[in-house]
């Protein structure tokens, strides 16, 4: 088969040639050849995708000019789990808890995919697929040093025993951002993945990610121009856990149950001088915390003339952000049901 298999376009495994939407695959070979060290920069390889930076640590990614820092127009998935933050739809690219070395490939679905992936998928779906732990046996260490204070260290440890394989990745990264800007970052993260073949028909996969970073925040485009708001450092932490059970009734009948949760905390407070407005020194606290819990059940069937996947998703998002939402603390519940099919009418005609 000259055409690679894609997994994201319709949630079905299918040839890229049969995919009903425009799909770009960034495989491991392309990732290594690119020389990029930031995940967001890899999307420069996708037709129609644009990438720029608000600062040295805030990346904007979008499709066909529909992009900014707080975008809700595309869906980002890591191993099938939505990782957009619930508060503004922001995508914190530097805080995913995974690095470029953890990625097997990225599939980008260009065009509306809301029927399969919900309201965020108006313009695109970016699906990041990490390496299976069986491919990372042994110990690997990598060091990058560059201009503008760039320094990166990566350690990967992989092993296995019997039917269980695991990988532990550790990373520490920092750089000074753009010249003449107060926008440096200093990050540390850990990523653990385990794959267990419980039986001939059952596979268990689980992962844990943690990322913590200090980010310099400069004062730009603020409405309170009469106030003296100082440059300051904010701290962000993100942790996530996912567990997936896959049961194969046969090679063509597959049941999958996937649970995912994430917590994102942004600690950002500073003292503003409002003396000229008669308020004196004021503590400004723009901190917020978001939590997401997500469970998804799917059943897929593959036959010679058709493929089918049926599934449902239930998600709870919670955000506490006094500066933006006052004291509102309310859960947002999302329910989704989907059915995707591929029907081979004959050798020249396929219906999705």
């Amino acid at each position: 088969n000259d055409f690679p298999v894609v997994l994201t376009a319709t949630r079905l495994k299918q040839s890229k040639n049969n995919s009903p939407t425009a799909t770009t695959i960034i495989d491991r070979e392309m990732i290594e050849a690119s020389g990029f060290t930031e995940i967001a920069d890899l999307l420069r390889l996708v037709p129609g995708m644009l990438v720029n930076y608000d600062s040295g640590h805030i990346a904007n990614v979008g499709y066909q000019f529909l992009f900014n820092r707080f975008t809700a127009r595309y869906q980002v998935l890591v191993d099938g789990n939505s990782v957009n933050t619930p508060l503004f739809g922001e995508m914190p690219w530097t805080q995913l808890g995974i690095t470029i070395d953890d990625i097997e490939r990225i599939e980008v679905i260009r065009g509306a995919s809301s029927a399969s992936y919900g309201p965020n998928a108006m313009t695109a779906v970016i699906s990041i697929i990490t390496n299976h732990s069986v491919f990372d046996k042994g110990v690997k260490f990598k060091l990058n040093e560059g201009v503008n204070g760039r320094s990166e260290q990566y350690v990967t440890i992989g092993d296995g025993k019997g039917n269980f394989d695991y990988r532990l990745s550790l990373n520490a990264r920092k750089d000074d951002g753009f010249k003449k800007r107060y926008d440096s970052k200093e990050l540390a993260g850990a990523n653990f993945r385990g794959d267990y073949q419980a039986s001939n028909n059952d596979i268990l996969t689980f992962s844990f990610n943690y990322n913590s970073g200090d980010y310099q925040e400069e004062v730009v485009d603020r409405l309170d121009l009469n106030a003296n708001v100082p440059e300051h450092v904010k701290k962000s932490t993100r942790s996530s856990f996912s567990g997936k059970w896959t049961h194969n009734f046969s090679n063509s009948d597959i049941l999958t149950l996937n649970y995912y949760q994430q917590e994102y905390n942004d600690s950002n407070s500073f003292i503003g001088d409002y003396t000229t407005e008669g308020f004196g020194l004021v503590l400004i606290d723009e901190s917020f915390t978001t939590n997401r819990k997500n469970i998804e059940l799917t059943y897929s069937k593959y036959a010679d003339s058709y493929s089918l996947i049926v599934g449902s998703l239930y998600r709870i998002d919670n955000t506490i952000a006094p500066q933006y939402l006052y004291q509102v603390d309310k859960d947002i519940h999302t329910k989704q049901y989907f059915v995707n099919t591929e029907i081979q009418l004959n050798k020249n005609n396929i219906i999705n």
Side-chain angles (χ1 to χ4, degrees):
N1 186 359
D2 294 332
F3 292 95
V5 171
V6 295
L7 308 175
T8 310
T10 61
R11 294 178 179 262
L12 290 165
K13 296 179 182 179
Q14 58 187 167
S15 167
K16 183 181 177 183
N17 191 40
N18 296 339
S19 170
T21 58
T23 305
T24 297
I25 299 176
I26 304 173
D27 59 20
R28 187 68 229 167
E29 185 177 0
M30 292 176 63
I31 292 172
E32 292 178 353
S34 71
F36 290 130
T37 60
E38 297 289 347
I39 295 175
D41 287 328
L42 290 171
L43 300 173
R44 300 179 188 274
L45 305 175
V46 180
M49 278 280 174
L50 300 175
V51 180
N52 73 1
Y53 283 80
D54 277 3
S55 72
H57 56 78
I58 300 174
N60 296 325
V61 176
Y63 183 58
Q64 301 288 19
F65 292 98
L66 297 175
F67 73 111
N68 54 52
R69 177 181 177 181
F70 303 107
T71 181
R73 298 185 178 95
Y74 63 87
Q75 183 74 267
V76 181
L77 311 172
V78 175
D79 290 330
N81 300 304
S82 173
V83 294
N84 299 69
T85 60
L87 179 58
F88 296 119
E90 183 181 7
M91 186 59 245
W93 288 101
T94 61
Q95 298 154 32
L96 285 179
I98 61 172
T99 66
I100 280 183
D101 283 0
D102 297 322
I103 298 174
E104 175 190 343
R105 65 173 173 172
I106 301 175
E107 296 182 358
V108 181
I109 311 305
R110 295 177 278 125
S113 298
S114 296
S116 294
Y117 290 101
N120 276 73
M122 288 174 57
T123 62
V125 176
I126 301 169
S127 178
I128 301 172
I129 301 168
T130 61
N131 292 316
H132 193 287
S133 56
V134 75
F135 298 115
D136 286 309
K137 295 295 180 66
V139 179
K140 180 173 65 175
F141 177 77
K142 187 170 76 170
L143 172 67
N144 290 332
E145 296 288 338
V147 299
N148 295 336
R150 179 177 294 276
S151 176
E152 302 173 329
Q153 300 86 38
Y154 306 90
V155 178
T156 302
I157 304 170
D159 203 352
K161 184 176 181 180
N163 294 329
F164 177 68
D165 298 288
Y166 71 88
R167 178 186 67 242
L168 173 64
S169 300
L170 305 173
N171 68 86
R173 301 184 293 148
K174 63 180 181 179
D175 67 64
D176 294 338
F178 294 119
K179 293 181 179 180
K180 300 181 181 180
R181 296 281 297 274
Y182 188 79
D183 61 350
S184 72
K185 67 176 182 287
E186 187 168 349
L187 313 173
N191 174 30
F192 180 86
R193 170 168 171 162
D195 294 275
Y196 178 58
Q197 184 80 40
S199 69
N200 289 335
N201 298 324
D202 296 282
I203 301 172
L204 300 176
T205 302
F206 55 92
S207 64
F208 174 78
N209 295 299
Y210 178 81
N211 192 85
S212 177
D214 294 324
Y215 303 87
Q216 289 182 345
E217 291 284 294
E218 59 186 1
V219 182
V220 292
D221 298 333
R222 284 192 171 271
L223 297 179
D224 46 2
L225 298 180
N226 294 325
N228 181 17
V229 180
E231 295 174 336
H232 59 280
V233 176
K234 76 170 185 178
K235 186 176 185 65
S236 297
T237 59
R238 180 186 179 276
S239 61
S240 67
F241 169 80
S242 68
K244 182 168 70 173
W245 168 55
T246 303
H247 179 75
N248 297 282
F249 297 101
S250 67
N251 290 334
S252 59
D253 291 86
I254 304 170
L255 179 70
T256 301
L257 178 64
N258 184 44
Y259 174 78
Y260 174 76
Q261 69 178 47
Q262 74 173 21
E263 179 175 325
Y264 179 67
N265 181 269
D266 198 86
S267 181
N268 185 16
S269 60
F270 50 89
I271 301 295
D273 186 356
Y274 289 80
T275 303
T276 58
E277 298 183 1
F279 297 105
L281 300 179
V282 178
L283 174 64
I284 307 298
D285 190 354
E286 298 182 348
S287 304
F288 65 88
T289 299
T290 67
N291 291 276
R292 166 169 291 173
K293 295 180 180 179
N294 188 100
I295 189 167
E296 181 178 281
L297 179 67
T298 61
Y299 169 75
S300 54
K301 170 74 173 178
Y302 295 91
D304 293 337
S305 59
Y306 74 94
S307 299
L308 168 73
I309 186 168
V310 180
S312 63
L313 174 150
Y314 181 62
R315 177 184 300 151
I316 302 176
D317 288 324
N318 177 271
T319 300
I320 301 174
Q323 176 74 13
Y324 303 109
L325 304 177
Y326 301 98
Q327 298 300 321
V328 175
D329 179 6
K330 185 177 181 181
D331 292 338
I332 304 299
H333 298 259
T334 301
K335 301 175 183 178
Q336 185 180 349
Y337 309 94
F338 51 88
V339 179
N340 295 326
T341 61
E342 178 190 85
I343 303 173
Q344 182 91 37
L345 298 180
N346 51 53
K347 65 178 183 179
N348 296 321
N349 295 281
I350 295 176
I351 294 177
N352 279 277

